[in-house]
Amino acid sequence: MADQYAQTRGDNRPAGIPVIRWEEPPEGPVVVLLDQTRLPAEEMELVCTDAPALVEAIRALAVRGAPLLGIAGAYGVALAAARGFDVDDAATALAGARPTAVNLSVGVRRAQSAHQAALAKTGDSRQAASAALAAARQLHQEDARASDRMAEHGLALLDELQSGGGHRILTHCNTGSLVSGGEGTAFAVALAAHRAGRLRRLWVDETRPLFQGARLTAYEAARNDLPYTLLTDNAAGSLFAAGEVDAVLIGADRIAADGSVANKVGSYPLAVLARYHHVPFIVVAPVTTVDLGTPDAASIEVEQRPGYEVTDIVAPQVPVMGGGGGIPVAPLGTPAYNPAFDVTPPELVTAIVTEEGTVSPVTAKGLAELCSRSRQPTVD
Ligand SMILES: CSC[C@@H](O)[C@@H](O)C(=O)COP(=O)(O)O
């Protein structure tokens, strides 16, 4: 149960509580998360008082989505430092909590480097802890700004690919403000299209096994009054065949140097469908998701998750934390294949949209150039 690894507090909270924040009550600093496992049924907060609690929350998907994992990882390092724990141990545990989303280790490293540099310079652990927190806050703010720019670039691309009539966008998993310091990645583009009066329909894949589409994207779409429709993942083919999709927009957990895109399992089949039906397949992600140190698809570690997520229906009303199952669907003991992500090869990706611009066609050279344009991270 949630309460075993972090304190759960509050219900009936007003809509729009932040997905993550740092608080300093008299008992000591904490990282407060919106518990995404409980959405949309209830908006509850998880209060993490140390890095192991945050590691558990990351594993349980209480906090999730590539950009937010980076921010959470950075705050986790700051928390360990502020509470006097071993920062390097905490950094190792946090970075290893989920292997595929590269943003997690990027965020952890960023706060850890700030901590190390300040400690080397001042020899003062309090100043080093402040530096780690400043790095986490800066990453949080940068992510919000990156969201805005991705939305602009993404909408410009949609308008260029299809003029008139409004956009009918199919999306997978959840890529909105629940995964970001801002309005997200792919979802932010759909939101920008909606605000510009050019979103005709957002098709939302339910995203089995954990229903990030049905639970989280539908929740965000409803809260923003988007014209949206939910479908089962396996209904996407007939939607394409009916000519109802103008573009697929997804996020990414890691983009390899050759342009291979790891994202929520089910993204690759959409890319295949999109190519067959001559529909653009667009990936929206911050530059921090591009990992030039990972050469290709074969080098991406894909997280394997417990079989019960497939054999059972795991819903927010069902206590999943601590390793329990949900509502059993398959016979007891049925073996399950449950990769959390799949990898789409670059030749199926029409464009990669980042805050620094768009790469299309997707080539290693184009991605490397775009990354070199990106401002090197600095720590205040
Ligand atoms: C901008 S979010 C991109 C991805 O992180 C998102 O599509 C996704 O796959 C999230 O997976 P999750 O397992 O819910 O963390």
Side-chain angles (χ1 to χ4, degrees), residues 61 64-67 69 98 101 172-175 179 184-186 212 251-253 263-264 284 303 340-341:
L61 309 194
R64 47 155 293 283
L69 285 173
R98 294 190 76 193
H172 190 68
C173 198
N174 170 254
T175 61
V179 300
T185 59
Q212 286 94 333
D253 284 81
N263 192 53
K264 179 52 57 193
V284 186
E303 175 186 357
F341 304 97

Side-chain angles (χ1 to χ4, degrees), residues 250-340:
I250 61 158
D253 284 81
R254 186 183 297 243
I255 300 173
D258 72 345
S260 298
V261 175
N263 192 53
K264 179 52 57 193
V265 68
S267 299
Y268 169 55
L270 288 181
V272 175
L273 276 169
R275 175 55 52 95
Y276 183 77
H277 292 281
H278 309 290
V279 167
F281 183 86
I282 300 165
V283 175
V284 186
V287 169
T288 44
T289 305
V290 180
D291 179 18
L292 297 180
T294 294
D296 51 27
S299 321
I300 298 175
E301 184 184 348
V302 172
E303 175 186 357
Q304 302 293 322
R305 294 200 51 95
Y308 72 76
E309 293 178 352
V310 175
T311 57
D312 297 13
I313 298 291
V314 177
Q317 295 82 359
V318 177
V320 293
M321 299 192 191
I327 301 162
V329 176
L332 210 64
T334 297
Y337 169 62
N338 190 16

